[in-house]
Amino acid sequence: MEATEKDILRGGQFLVKETNCEDIFTPEDFNEEQLMMKEAVTEFVDREIWPNKARFEAKDYALTESCMRQAGEMGFLGVSVPEEYGGMGMSFVSTMLVCDYISGATGSFSTAFGAHTGIGTMPITLYGNEEQKKKYVPKLATGEWFGSYCLTEPSAGSDANSGKTKAVLSDDGKTYKITGQKMWISNAGFCSLMIVFARIEDDKNITGFIVEYDPENPNGITMGEEEHKLGIRASSTRQVFFNDTVVPVENMLSTRGNGFKIAMNALNVGRIKLAAACLDAQRRTITESVKYANERVQFKVPISSFGAIQQKIAEMATNCWVGEAASYRAAKNIEDRIAIRQNNGKDTHQEAELKGVEEYAIECSILKVAVSEHTQHCTDEGIQIFGGMGFSEETPIESAWRDARIARIYEGTNEINRMLSIGMLIKKAMKGHVDLLGPATAVANELTGIPSFDTPDFSELFSEEKSIIKNLKKLFLMVAGAALQKYGEEIEKHQQLMLASSDILIQIYMAESAILRAEKMAKKDGEDKAKQQIAMAKLNLFHAIDVIETAGKHSIISFSTGDEQRMMLMGLKRYLKYVNMPNIIELRNIIADKVIKENKYCF
């Protein structure tokens, strides 16, 4: 049955509305076509990419280009491209799945794939006119051409709209001449097409252009040498210089001054796809780490029998599993929103996709931050399990660690995304899309009332955890409501407060997603078969409460004094309270035992 607008929450509404486990999509819900696609992608990666990790680390750019061409021949570059432009026209969840499983073997190929299929192709499919789409998208969908995205400049990083690259209209009005410098351009070394952002005259906002590139006829385009980077070493990354590069006026993308909007919306999609791209990297790291722990014998026993190692394995597996739960939950929300907008007949495919993704921009930022940080932690612990061997280039772990580091920087740094998630939530509240004021007022009234001392009945699976999630949402509303009341729109100047508030928001979304995924599995397969998943959801919530307690305390102390501060600190204590504290060592053992026995990430 198709979802209707009433069935699915709007972006950010998870904070003020309850979600039933039946209403979320999980990886256990992949259909037959999706499972076949997952198998095909994994087989390709295991055949062409994973065995060649050493070549990628040796900066074999030609290998990256060759693997991209093969991916194009197999249709993987066109999964999100509509069929009429040479693609597969697959659903949003399916495109997430491909991005997930194609990205785990090496960050070099993952970056090339992501830059091409995302910011290299998507701006044309979403903003291009019919002539532009027919001319360029089929070549990009098949890998005949590769795309790159030229936004960042030496003086314009996070402040993307401050770029100084100029586009000057010719006297006859037929062409623009683009002059300027771009840096950190992925795929620059083998691209045939660039999405270039430049400013026309003194426009407030930048404008997007489609620029063809042929090394035989460079048209004023020159390239810097390949950048030597900490990780993603075989990903082509160069500076690109434009000197009176002539671009026909018909190659303007969308309308004049709309470039900043194109850039921001491309980043929204990029953020959720980046979360997906970090998942299989974790799975492979966990699998390699467990295999090593099972084989490595010290004190006459495998090191996997040691509690210190089991703790690491359990935490790594839990973070990965939670990331999957939240990423695919949000992906299906986006997919459903796109379908609703298309079915109501008001939007074209491109308008529906744009608005569908934009609706969940908060969730996209949350996922980008959470999953990229999970991946860094996972690879770091992987090195620790390998010990001295983990520091050696002979094992695949040190390269995974180096590759993971960029994920916290690109698609907007994690600091920018943390502040964006709160800023976007406030804007949604002001537009009336998410009612924060009503629930925040109710929480303030509850705090001044007499608390109930009854012991609730928590006999059902997750009944206590769900009660805690409700209280965590109240806690966020208490902190954010009071901070907004004090600072109003000036809150954006209080960055440390926004960072702490976003940590609360992130933990709530991830913890709720995990609990709903485990509950859905338990209802379908029985609690015994979902034993490890239940343990992971409970373990994750326990850690979430720790993070939220610290962030809440920092926030409250930063803007309140006297009775108000005392009241909120009491509220913090009340909303974080467990009745039945879980035994987290027991939970970790349940998870680690399964992973160690299976000798791989097995969820």
Side-chain angles (χ1 to χ4, degrees), residues 541-554:
L541 178 61
F542 184 90
H543 290 318
I545 288 169
D546 278 351
V547 174
I548 289 169
E549 182 175 18
T550 302
K553 209 178 287 180
H554 288 185

Side-chain angles (χ1 to χ4, degrees), residues 200-418:
I200 301 170
E201 296 172 347
D202 293 319
D203 288 359
K204 180 186 172 187
N205 291 324
I206 50 180
T207 298
F209 295 90
I210 302 168
V211 179
E212 296 180 28
Y213 175 64
D214 177 3
E216 302 295 314
N217 179 23
N219 185 19
I221 299 172
T222 54
M223 301 263 182
E225 292 298 311
E226 290 287 355
E227 300 284 354
H228 298 288
K229 310 178 293 289
L230 172 71
I232 57 170
R233 286 181 170 175
S235 153
S236 174
T237 312
R238 295 186 173 194
Q239 290 194 56
V240 181
F241 303 89
F242 301 93
N243 185 15
D244 287 344
T245 298
V246 178
V247 183
V249 290
E250 56 267 27
N251 275 30
M252 180 186 286
L253 192 54
S254 184
T255 54
R256 177 171 171 171
N258 207 34
F260 185 60
K261 191 166 187 182
I262 295 170
M264 291 305 98
N265 279 323
L267 286 172
N268 284 334
V269 184
R271 282 163 187 154
I272 190 169
K273 293 286 177 73
L274 176 60
C278 285
L279 292 172
D280 200 51
Q282 290 177 74
R283 293 189 202 103
R284 287 177 182 268
T285 297
I286 294 162
T287 295
E288 292 302 308
S289 301
V290 172
K291 281 181 183 173
Y292 183 80
N294 279 334
E295 290 167 8
R296 173 71 168 162
V297 173
Q298 289 291 278
F299 309 104
K300 299 181 181 175
V301 291
I303 64 170
S304 60
S305 65
F306 300 142
I309 300 295
Q310 290 168 1
Q311 176 174 332
K312 293 182 188 304
I313 290 167
E315 299 287 356
M316 292 157 78
T318 296
N319 283 344
C320 181
W321 186 84
V322 170
E324 291 171 353
S327 297
Y328 285 102
R329 173 191 183 182
K332 187 65 164 74
N333 283 155
I334 290 170
E335 182 178 299
D336 287 345
R337 180 66 59 176
I338 291 168
I340 288 163
R341 297 200 74 101
Q342 276 190 280
N343 293 343
N344 70 17
K346 291 178 188 170
D347 290 339
T348 62
H349 167 81
Q350 65 198 77
E351 286 168 338
E353 187 153 334
L354 268 172
K355 290 172 185 171
V357 174
E358 197 173 2
E359 178 64 56
Y360 296 96
I362 294 167
E363 287 80 354
C364 291
S365 280
I366 285 172
L367 288 163
K368 191 271 178 185
V369 172
V371 184
S372 66
E373 291 179 2
H374 286 169
T375 306
Q376 189 77 71
H377 179 262
C378 181
T379 55
D380 196 67
E381 290 288 58
I383 288 178
Q384 205 67 13
I385 290 169
F386 271 79
M389 286 302 295
F391 209 69
S392 166
E393 288 186 4
E394 286 180 36
T395 64
I397 298 298
E398 65 86 35
S399 63
W401 181 83
R402 286 187 287 99
D403 284 350
R405 189 61 187 86
I406 189 63
R408 287 159 56 199
I409 297 171
Y410 58 20
E411 309 293 357
T413 67
N414 282 12
E415 291 72 24
I416 288 283
N417 274 286
R418 277 185 160 90

